[in-house]
Amino acid sequence: MKQLLTGDEAIARGAYEAGVHFASAYPGTPSTEILESISNYKEVCAEWAPNEKVALESAIGASIVGGRALAAMKHVGLNVAADPFFTFAYTGVNGGTVIITADEPGQHSAQNEQDNRNYAKAAKVPMFEPANSQECRDMVIEAYHISEQYDCPVLIRMTTRVCHGKSIVTLGERKEVPIKEYLKDVKKYVCVPANAKGLRRNLEVKLEKLKAFAETTAFNFTEMNDSKIGVITSGACYHYAKEVFEDKASYLKLGFTYPMPDEKIIDFCRKMDTIYIIEENDPYIEERVKILGFNCHGKDLLPKYGEMTPDVIKKAFFNLENSLITYPDGMIVDRPPTLCAGCPHRGFFFELGKRKNVMVSGDIGCYSLGFAKPYNAMDSLICMGGGFSIGHGAQKIFNMKKEEKMRVVSVLGDSTFLHSGITSLMDVVYNNSNTVSVILDNRITGMTGHQENPGTGYNAKGEEASAVDIEGIVRALGIKHIRTVNPNQLKEMDKVLDEFLELDEPSVIITKWPCALKKFSIEDKKEFAGAFTLKMVINEDKCIGCKLCMKCGCPAIRFDSDKKQAAIDGIQCLGCGICNQLCPKNAIEWKEA
């Protein structure tokens, strides 16, 4: 049977067919849909983990006792999971284990652009690089064979276009793989130095065997055409290169890229007059080709960052640019990204952004948009879960200056708090900080498309789960001043910020209101009864066109130049009421949705 699948869906299908028993992930573009797809298979225990480290650790536990396991994450997620990742390479597996890293050449939604092929090399973990959805499915199945045959976890490196691009996939049936017997083996799984030294030696033996595999696997193959140009490539770049060079070049397509197939590369290069390396992110293949003694062109011609799409390749190698359709610039509306209409973070950032002498330490999530106009309410954003601890360090330095009045407000979301913000807040408490830490609880993991998390009361399969009490955690960490507020109530939000900025000890504000796009659970309907059932309308008899309502930055509000009055898009408006509170003439009124 054949189906049109994205790469993420094909990874899930491959895992299903390979008889995977357990899968865990933390959502993050472009990997989120892998676990969402796996969760549709009732045969697989699929879970959202609080963070990537926990996801991998859970998969390791499943593997040790004999189950086939999978952990998936976006590229920066592997940084979080790097600690168990490196040691897992030493211990090896019992049940086969595959780890997915979804890299983002071009940084479509991430804070950096990193090449996680380097992680395979650094941790000495074998790696596949699929180029399309069929290879995603096929490589996952092969990866489980490799994992169990060579006693090692296997990394699969995806990129955005492979994750989200669709192509036809030939499917197979699920192979029910029995859970292996668990045998206690402390020399294999207890990595104290006495055991780890032996495991380190064993790892080199495994890599030598895997190097032989790299030379023979069908996932590393050549397509011989003209010998004047030889292109060595991997992943989506294989398709990009073929679109540009067609049959005017020969190709060495690498699908298993750690360890590298040196003999296959040498044989190919010797047959070519000129060698081009086309790959995204780092010169990972290029460096190996040069080490093997061949001159080649790669990053000397191609950009050192971004996606190596066909137009980029054409420009680099032939100085050709595609003709573009022209359009009148005046018709394009300049529309920067902004918080959604009805977003519960709007009221908070509106009030926070008005304050002087306040540094705002931000974090990763929808609320990152708080840095932008009209709020301008964020000074830093570095990594997930770091908002509280980065703010803590800044406050300590501010406090060293006698005349310094700067205070720090640190901000992160509910899912981010559960991801790694808990330890960040623990640092604030333990080191006696006086920052104001704010948890923006919108009752869901918003930015990645509404995945459940330990605070929502539901698991990845949509089954009821115990909901973590965020306020209870905060109190247990030692915070004495805690306040939960509705961020849509501007006066209350303003008052609480003032009150907490006066404190000289660590404090936490929890803003609690559901994401405007969330499908309400039974619990949400009880707790937030009446939410999003009204809309706002302009009373044209009262509106004086002062534009104060537009300062809240809601995309549902615009200024009608003809009428010289504000106008509200009834389709977008969800009736949060922020604009109503800003209007000096009570010209914004409620109506039934």
Side-chain angles (χ1 to χ4, degrees):
M1 184 173 68
K2 295 184 178 181
Q3 277 189 12
L4 184 65
L5 299 178
T6 66
D8 282 351
E9 291 168 337
I11 289 283
R13 179 69 192 193
Y16 164 76
E17 292 184 22
V20 163
H21 304 99
F22 178 87
S24 185
Y26 184 80
T29 303
S31 69
T32 307
E33 295 83 359
I34 294 173
L35 192 97
E36 287 182 332
S37 300
I38 291 177
S39 67
N40 293 324
Y41 297 112
K42 61 181 175 52
E43 295 86 349
V44 184
C45 175
E47 298 179 348
W48 289 122
N51 65 37
E52 298 84 356
K53 180 172 180 283
V54 172
L56 179 53
E57 289 162 345
S58 302
I60 292 171
S63 168
I64 288 173
V65 298
R68 282 193 165 184
L70 179 144
M73 56 205 73
K74 70 177 296 178
H75 64 288
V76 290
L78 194 52
N79 301 337
V80 181
D83 193 358
F85 180 69
F86 275 68
T87 304
F88 193 29
Y90 280 34
T91 68
V93 305
N94 185 17
T97 304
V98 171
I99 302 155
I100 314 292
T101 173
D103 291 7
E104 275 198 292
Q107 289 181 262
H108 296 285
S109 63
Q111 63 270 44
N112 67 32
E113 181 184 69
Q114 66 185 50
D115 191 334
N116 280 1
R117 293 180 298 179
N118 297 304
Y119 263 116
K121 183 179 177 182
K124 303 182 184 302
V125 171
M127 173 175 63
F128 285 95
E129 281 190 76
N132 52 49
S133 298
Q134 184 68 61
E135 283 196 343
C136 288
R137 178 258 181 197
D138 297 346
M139 286 182 179
V140 168
I141 294 172
E142 181 69 5
Y144 281 102
H145 294 152
I146 299 300
S147 178
E148 293 180 350
Q149 181 178 351
Y150 295 92
D151 188 15
C152 56
V154 177
L155 185 69
I156 293 183
R157 189 252 189 168
M158 310 267 284
T159 56
T160 307
R161 301 298 170 185
V162 178
C163 288
H164 291 165
K166 280 192 171 184
S167 57
I168 297 291
V169 180
T170 301
L171 307 181
E173 298 297 326
R174 176 176 170 87
K175 179 183 178 183
E176 292 296 346
V177 178
I179 293 174
K180 291 184 175 182
E181 182 182 6
Y182 167 64
L183 297 173
K184 184 173 180 176
D185 188 347
V186 295
K187 288 188 176 179
K188 179 174 170 64
Y189 294 116
V190 179
C191 283
V192 294
N195 295 333
K197 289 177 182 176
L199 295 172
R200 175 70 182 85
R201 289 191 292 272
N202 292 343
L203 183 54
E204 292 301 323
V205 176
K206 294 179 193 176
L207 289 172
E208 282 302 313
K209 294 178 180 177
L210 284 160
K211 199 163 186 58
F213 170 80
E215 300 290 353
T216 58
T217 176
F219 289 113
N220 293 331
F221 61 86
T222 57
E223 293 178 8
M224 302 305 291
N225 297 306
D226 197 302
S227 62
K228 290 181 180 176
I229 297 174
V231 176
I232 305 177
T233 184
S234 67
C237 289
Y238 165 65
H239 294 293
Y240 300 155
K242 290 199 69 174
E243 184 175 330
V244 173
F245 292 98
E246 300 176 326
D247 60 358
K248 299 180 182 65
S250 295
Y251 302 91
L252 171 55
K253 195 270 189 185
L254 300 178
F256 185 80
T257 48
Y258 188 78
M260 296 280 275
D262 289 349
E263 294 303 322
K264 187 161 279 187
I265 293 171
I266 291 170
D267 181 62
F268 181 78
C269 290
R270 282 176 175 167
K271 296 174 181 174
M272 298 296 132
D273 296 338
T274 303
I275 303 160
Y276 293 159
I277 312 297
I278 300 178
E279 57 188 328
E280 289 174 323
N281 291 141
D282 294 344
Y284 175 84
I285 298 172
E286 182 179 338
E287 288 178 356
R288 191 66 194 172
V289 170
K290 289 179 176 174
I291 287 172
L292 294 173
F294 295 94
N295 292 321
C296 59
H297 294 289
K299 294 301 180 185
D300 57 331
L301 298 177
L302 289 161
K304 293 179 173 56
Y305 51 87
E307 294 183 287
M308 299 302 114
T309 52
D311 56 326
V312 173
I313 297 171
K314 281 182 186 175
K315 173 72 175 175
F317 289 97
F318 303 112
N319 198 27
L320 294 176
E321 293 190 65
N322 292 332
S323 58
L324 300 174
I325 300 172
T326 58
Y327 57 89
D329 291 348
M331 293 182 65
I332 304 301
V333 178
D334 185 13
R335 192 177 176 190
T338 185
L339 299 172
C340 300
C343 176
H345 306 325
R346 173 165 287 103
F348 167 71
F349 281 118
F350 179 81
E351 291 299 334
L352 181 62
K354 293 192 300 185
R355 280 162 168 75
K356 307 296 182 186
N357 296 327
V358 169
M359 174 198 174
V360 179
S361 174
D363 215 298
I364 308 293
C366 302
Y367 46 86
S368 301
L369 293 171
F371 87 92
K373 294 179 180 178
Y375 319 107
N376 301 312
M378 197 171 290
D379 293 74
S380 64
L381 187 162
I382 305 297
C383 64
M384 199 155 186
F388 287 172
S389 39
I390 290 166
H392 159 69
Q395 186 70 74
K396 285 286 183 177
I397 297 301
F398 286 141
N399 293 350
M400 292 176 186
K401 301 177 182 177
K402 291 182 180 178
E403 302 303 320
E404 184 62 74
K405 303 295 183 184
M406 286 289 284
R407 293 299 311 277
V408 175
V409 175
S410 305
V411 180
L412 49 70
D414 53 333
S415 186
T416 306
F417 176 69
L418 298 169
H419 175 278
S420 49
I422 294 175
T423 47
S424 193
L425 183 61
M426 191 182 299
D427 183 53
V428 170
V429 178
Y430 177 65
N431 288 299
N432 194 30
S433 192
N434 59 339
T435 56
V436 178
S437 301
V438 184
I439 301 169
L440 306 176
D441 184 1
N442 65 355
R443 312 304 301 138
I444 200 70
T445 307
M447 188 168 73
T448 48
H450 291 192
Q451 290 72 38
E452 305 292 349
N453 65 53
T456 64
Y458 292 87
N459 64 23
K461 297 264 188 182
E463 301 159 343
E464 289 188 30
S466 180
V468 168
D469 176 9
I470 290 178
E471 185 172 330
I473 290 176
V474 171
R475 199 175 302 282
L477 289 174
I479 297 288
K480 296 173 183 173
H481 285 85
I482 309 168
R483 190 75 55 82
T484 298
V485 299
N486 176 354
N488 293 328
Q489 300 301 317
L490 296 184
K491 288 183 179 177
E492 182 184 5
M493 193 72 255
D494 183 51
K495 180 182 175 184
V496 172
L497 278 170
D498 278 347
E499 180 184 333
F500 275 54
L501 282 167
E502 289 297 316
L503 297 172
D504 192 26
E505 61 181 273
S507 59
V508 170
I509 299 170
I510 302 172
T511 67
K512 193 173 185 180
W513 194 259
C515 172
L517 304 178
K518 188 188 180 192
K519 181 180 179 181
F520 273 24
S521 65
I522 295 173
E523 293 77 13
D524 290 332
K525 290 176 182 175
K526 291 179 181 175
E527 185 172 3
F528 307 105
F532 307 131
T533 59
L534 300 174
K535 290 186 182 295
M536 314 308 301
V537 292
I538 301 292
N539 184 330
E540 296 183 356
D541 293 334
K542 295 182 178 179
C543 180
I544 59 173
C546 65
K547 299 184 181 179
L548 282 176
C549 57
M550 300 188 69
K551 291 188 175 181
C552 70
C554 178
I557 303 177
R558 64 181 177 86
F559 188 74
D560 188 326
S561 300
D562 295 332
K563 294 182 178 178
K564 299 190 184 310
Q565 288 184 323
I568 294 178
D569 181 350
I571 301 296
Q572 291 192 68
C573 178
L574 291 170
C576 69
I578 298 291
C579 56
N580 164 274
Q581 297 168 69
L582 299 179
C583 181
K585 297 294 182 181
N586 296 319
I588 302 178
E589 301 174 350
W590 303 88
K591 78 165 188 174
E592 293 291 330

